[in-house]
DNA sequence: AAGAGGATGAACT
DNA sequence: GTTCATCCTCTTG
């Protein structure tokens, strides 16, 4: 079992923009497992470890908002270079946080779907209206965005400086393939055969990933 | 100007 | 297992 206290002590380093500029959004989604999402708004800092992601790949992925190069005010940020936030409202209620990836005009993004909460749990609980720690604190994309204070107003925010109010960090820990489960993406059945693409990644054994039986 | 529907989560039975 | 809250974005006219 992972010891969260150990992780608090570990030195973490910013993920630079280079990390997000590659064409291979599926590979980036895989690589983001175990990285840290950090937010810092008005000096209030919260941190969680990413344990579930999904890749959405620009023009040829019917599940992606930028399918067929569909370009609207909402999706515009995906057409820029990687390293920016794409946050949109889902079902009128939930703010879903994505990291744009790829070079300019490759409208790809990685949806962050679950976190293990790590720092400043009281603030995260308060944002969620919860009284004590439980999986629903950050085990889904809408929940984690709320816990981290991420809002659609942050769409377009650059993520790759140490001053960014939202950023991603790495502590150097390596996650072997055997620790990571690959599956089809959630909630995209409207996307035809694209719905079967194995572009979802999650950390085996994490109590913060919903449903798909956490073994052990 | 209006209508449809969604990359979810919570609260039910 | 089911329902539904809730509102923005996009499409259509």
């Amino acid at each position: 079992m992972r010891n969260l206290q150990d992780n608090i002590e570990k030195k973490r380093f910013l993920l630079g923009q280079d990390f997000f500029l590659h064409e291979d959004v599926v590979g980036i989604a895989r690589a983001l497992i175990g990285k840290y999402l950090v937010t810092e708004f008005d000096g209030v800092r919260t941190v969680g470890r990413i344990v579930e992601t999904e890749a959405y790949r620009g023009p040829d992925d019917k599940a992606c908002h930028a399918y067929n190069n569909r370009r609207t005010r909402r999706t515009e940020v995906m057409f820029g270079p990687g390293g920016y936030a794409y946050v949109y409202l889902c079902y009128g209620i939930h703010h879903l946080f994505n990291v744009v990836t790829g070079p300019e005009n490759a409208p790809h993004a990685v949806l962050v779907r679950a976190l293990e909460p790590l720092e400043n749990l009281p603030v995260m609980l308060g944002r969620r209206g919860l009284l004590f720690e439980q999986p629903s604190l950050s085990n889904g994309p809408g929940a984690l965005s709320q816990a981290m204070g991420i809002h659609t107003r942050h769409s377009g925010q650059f993520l790759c400086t140490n001053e960014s109010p939202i950023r991603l960090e790495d502590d150097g820990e390596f996650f072997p393939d055997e620790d990571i489960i690959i599956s089809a993406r959630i909630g995209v059945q409207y996307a035809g055969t694209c719905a079967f693409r194995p572009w979802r990644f999650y950390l085996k054994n994490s109590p913060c990933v919903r449903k798909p039986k956490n073994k052990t």
Side-chain angles (χ1 to χ4, degrees):
Chain A
M1 177 132 173
R2 187 169 306 281
N3 186 332
L4 293 179
Q5 294 306 319
D6 287 349
N7 290 332
I8 291 174
E9 308 301 332
K10 274 190 198 167
K11 182 72 181 165
R12 297 192 305 257
F13 298 92
L14 180 75
L15 285 185
Q17 190 176 15
D18 286 353
F19 185 92
F20 301 105
L21 291 179
H22 301 285
E23 273 281 0
D24 179 15
V25 63
V26 179
I28 295 171
R30 159 65 175 85
L32 281 174
I33 298 295
K35 301 299 191 281
Y36 296 85
L37 179 61
V38 179
T39 63
E40 201 161 351
F41 302 116
D42 299 317
V44 178
R45 168 196 172 85
T46 48
V47 182
R49 193 164 214 185
I50 297 171
V51 293
E52 182 183 0
T53 62
E54 285 176 357
Y56 287 83
R57 193 179 70 188
D60 76 338
D61 176 11
K62 199 169 179 184
C64 182
H65 293 163
Y67 175 57
N68 207 15
N69 280 316
R70 220 170 101 85
R71 202 163 182 150
T72 66
R73 170 148 57 235
R74 182 177 64 155
T75 63
E76 185 62 28
V77 65
M78 281 204 277
F79 290 83
Y84 291 79
Y86 170 51
V87 187
Y88 74 96
L89 189 68
C90 189
Y91 296 103
I93 304 172
H94 308 292
H95 300 250
L96 270 54
F97 171 73
N98 301 249
V99 186
V100 175
T101 75
E104 196 162 355
N105 293 317
H108 311 150
V110 174
L111 172 66
V112 178
R113 288 190 57 91
L115 297 178
E116 284 181 8
L118 184 66
E119 282 187 30
N120 212 343
L121 280 275
V123 166
M124 297 174 73
L125 289 167
R127 286 169 175 161
R128 294 279 294 128
L130 299 174
L131 296 176
F132 55 90
E133 188 175 359
Q134 53 196 286
S136 64
L137 175 57
S138 58
N139 67 353
L144 105 240
S145 296
Q146 185 177 42
M148 298 296 287
I150 295 172
H151 188 274
T152 52
R153 79 173 70 89
H154 299 115
S155 201
Q157 171 68 54
F158 187 54
L159 305 174
C160 302
T161 77
N162 281 309
E163 291 72 44
S164 300
I166 308 171
R167 55 190 186 271
L168 293 124
E169 296 180 353
D170 180 13
D171 70 357
E173 182 171 347
F174 172 69
F175 286 80
D177 287 345
E178 64 192 24
D179 288 350
I180 294 182
I181 310 291
I182 302 174
S183 82
R185 293 170 294 179
I186 304 296
V188 296
Q189 58 284 353
Y190 62 86
T193 58
C194 291
F196 299 104
R197 290 176 171 180
W199 288 357
R200 171 174 178 244
F201 300 88
Y202 61 94
L203 187 59
K204 186 162 63 176
N205 303 333
S206 175
C208 299
V209 175
R210 240 181 312 183
K211 284 283 170 189
K213 346 160 190 164
N214 298 321
K215 289 177 281 182
T216 6

